[in-house]
Amino acid sequence: MPAEMTSRERVLTAARREAPDRIPRLIPMLGAVAERLQTELGVTDLQPFLRPDFAELGLSRSDLQTDFSRYFTRPGVTWDEWGRGRIWDDTGHYAEYLYPLEKAETVAEIEAYPWPDLTEPYRWAGLTERVAAAHAQGLAVSGMLAETVFEVAWQLRSMMGLFGDILADDPRATVLLDKITDRRESVVRAYAQAGVDIIHMGDDVAMQDRLLMSRDMFNTWFRPRFERIIRAARTENPEVIISYHSDGRINDLIPDLLEAGVQILNPVQPECVDHAWVKATYGDRLAFSGGLGVQSVLPFGTPEEVREHTRAAIQTLGAGGGYIVGPSHVLELDTPMANIRAMMAAIEEFGGYD
């Protein structure tokens, strides 16, 4: 049995596709779920129950207060610093999207758009100290960069608009994607300089049963931009680990992600990706994280089914190392508290390496 490790050692060992002392875990959940769980357990601090191995860090908030209202005509729209419009449901988790650049007719309109100030150094002031503080606690640090390029682009332009531009080889697509990529490069440089262990990138580029685009489109339009971002990070720190997230049946793009420099694949959604297949085919080159079904067993199974589901994922994806266990997305309000307890108990029961 391996000697007891710190969380950081455990995560880095798994990321290298080796076996740590136990399976590291990453258990994201909605804030409302966390509140319910605190009530269920009668605690104010979930850390002793979840035993997290990660600290997930991001940049500080922007000082800009850009008014994007001129891009929207409907009431009740809110927006983030990119100007992506949303009308939220009652849970604050699902939203209808509205697209500020949907009607942009020229490259000039895209260039003149009020882009976020992610290239400004004040956005990462204090980041090095926050990373060091997490490391001092023994935690691995992940710099968060989900919705890296594709999702931001379609949420600005609309999916139909973005794909239409790409198919027409319209320069609006090139300018839009490069504007986003330039800012993402600045962020990953800051993360790498600050000493994060993992940069968590990703875009949802797949549905339940197929990709959202052809491999040719991905490799022509998106992979080169991911490679630019990864190169920027590794210029600052050649050892930084790259994790990539995409829900859905991502199978056909895995070779391309590997060639681009991805080392951890998340979330290996069990409703879409066969765990035995992906481990046998790519486990010598990829580590995996996630794997527990938030569309199926976690919300709708019995506690015993959750226990067995968790055991099977650990046994399959964790064989020989290379696995970080957790839900395949955030735990949502439809997940029974008994099932969260069963999942955590199973991680404790089956997560060790003899």
Side-chain angles (χ1 to χ4, degrees), residues 34-51:
E35 292 172 4
R36 285 186 182 178
L37 188 56
Q38 287 172 329
T39 301
E40 170 83 7
L41 299 174
V43 301
T44 57
D45 181 8
L46 291 175
Q47 302 257 348
F49 176 71
L50 298 175
R51 294 176 64 196

Side-chain angles (χ1 to χ4, degrees), residues 80-86 97-102 113-116 118 145-159 162 173 175-184 202-205 222 226 229:
D80 63 4
E81 67 175 318
W82 292 93
R84 295 179 290 183
R86 297 179 174 95
Y97 280 76
L98 294 92
Y99 315 107
L101 287 173
E102 184 175 19
Y113 186 73
W115 295 98
L118 293 168
L145 199 69
E147 299 183 325
T148 307
V149 177
F150 170 64
E151 287 189 82
V152 176
W154 76 253
Q155 290 167 15
L156 291 175
R157 180 74 171 135
S158 84
M159 194 170 290
L162 176 64
V175 172
L176 176 64
L177 294 173
D178 284 345
K179 288 286 187 181
I180 297 166
T181 302
D182 291 345
R183 284 154 180 79
R184 292 319 201 187
D203 281 312
D204 286 335
V205 293
F222 297 100
F226 277 111
I229 295 166

Side-chain angles (χ1 to χ4, degrees), residues 138-203:
L139 297 173
V141 178
S142 182
M144 302 305 291
L145 199 69
E147 299 183 325
T148 307
V149 177
F150 170 64
E151 287 189 82
V152 176
W154 76 253
Q155 290 167 15
L156 291 175
R157 180 74 171 135
S158 84
M159 194 170 290
M160 290 292 291
L162 176 64
F163 281 146
D165 291 345
I166 287 172
L167 291 172
D169 200 18
D170 192 304
R172 286 176 292 183
T174 300
V175 172
L176 176 64
L177 294 173
D178 284 345
K179 288 286 187 181
I180 297 166
T181 302
D182 291 345
R183 284 154 180 79
R184 292 319 201 187
E185 284 191 63
S186 294
V187 174
V188 297
R189 287 184 186 277
Y191 282 153
Q193 290 169 1
V196 304
D197 301 297
I198 297 170
I199 295 176
H200 182 65
M201 301 170 55
D203 281 312

Side-chain angles (χ1 to χ4, degrees), residues 211-223:
L211 299 174
L212 277 166
M213 65 187 78
S214 68
R215 284 184 68 187
D216 180 65
M217 182 183 289
F218 178 83
N219 284 310
T220 300
W221 287 88
F222 297 100
R223 174 176 159 181

Side-chain angles (χ1 to χ4, degrees), residues 107-309:
V107 166
E109 289 176 78
I110 295 172
E111 290 177 332
Y113 186 73
W115 295 98
D117 61 347
L118 293 168
T119 60
E120 295 299 319
Y122 85 91
R123 296 297 303 273
W124 52 87
L127 182 60
T128 300
E129 291 75 14
R130 288 192 288 146
V131 171
H135 283 164
Q137 298 175 49
L139 297 173
V141 178
S142 182
M144 302 305 291
L145 199 69
E147 299 183 325
T148 307
V149 177
F150 170 64
E151 287 189 82
V152 176
W154 76 253
Q155 290 167 15
L156 291 175
R157 180 74 171 135
S158 84
M159 194 170 290
M160 290 292 291
L162 176 64
F163 281 146
D165 291 345
I166 287 172
L167 291 172
D169 200 18
D170 192 304
R172 286 176 292 183
T174 300
V175 172
L176 176 64
L177 294 173
D178 284 345
K179 288 286 187 181
I180 297 166
T181 302
D182 291 345
R183 284 154 180 79
R184 292 319 201 187
E185 284 191 63
S186 294
V187 174
V188 297
R189 287 184 186 277
Y191 282 153
Q193 290 169 1
V196 304
D197 301 297
I198 297 170
I199 295 176
H200 182 65
M201 301 170 55
D203 281 312
D204 286 335
V205 293
M207 299 178 284
Q208 292 290 110
D209 60 348
R210 74 198 75 178
L211 299 174
L212 277 166
M213 65 187 78
S214 68
R215 284 184 68 187
D216 180 65
M217 182 183 289
F218 178 83
N219 284 310
T220 300
W221 287 88
F222 297 100
R223 174 176 159 181
R225 292 174 168 90
F226 277 111
E227 290 174 337
R228 275 178 53 193
I229 295 166
I230 292 170
R231 279 197 304 272
R234 291 193 172 139
T235 296
E236 305 298 332
N237 177 9
E239 301 303 316
V240 72
I241 294 164
I242 303 299
S243 174
Y244 183 91
H245 166 91
S246 176
D247 297 324
R249 187 177 174 84
I250 193 70
N251 303 16
D252 291 344
L253 284 189
I254 294 176
D256 307 307
L257 295 173
L258 274 165
E259 290 180 8
V262 171
Q263 294 152 287
I264 302 174
L265 182 65
N266 171 274
V268 282
Q269 186 180 341
E271 298 86 3
C272 308
V273 179
D274 181 84
H275 287 177
W277 169 82
V278 78
K279 180 72 172 183
T281 308
Y282 297 108
D284 61 335
R285 289 164 285 171
L286 269 180
F288 306 101
S289 72
L292 304 181
V294 299
Q295 289 183 330
S296 53
V297 181
L298 290 182
F300 304 121
T302 65
E304 181 56 36
E305 288 169 336
V306 169
R307 178 180 180 274
E308 174 58 23
H309 180 62

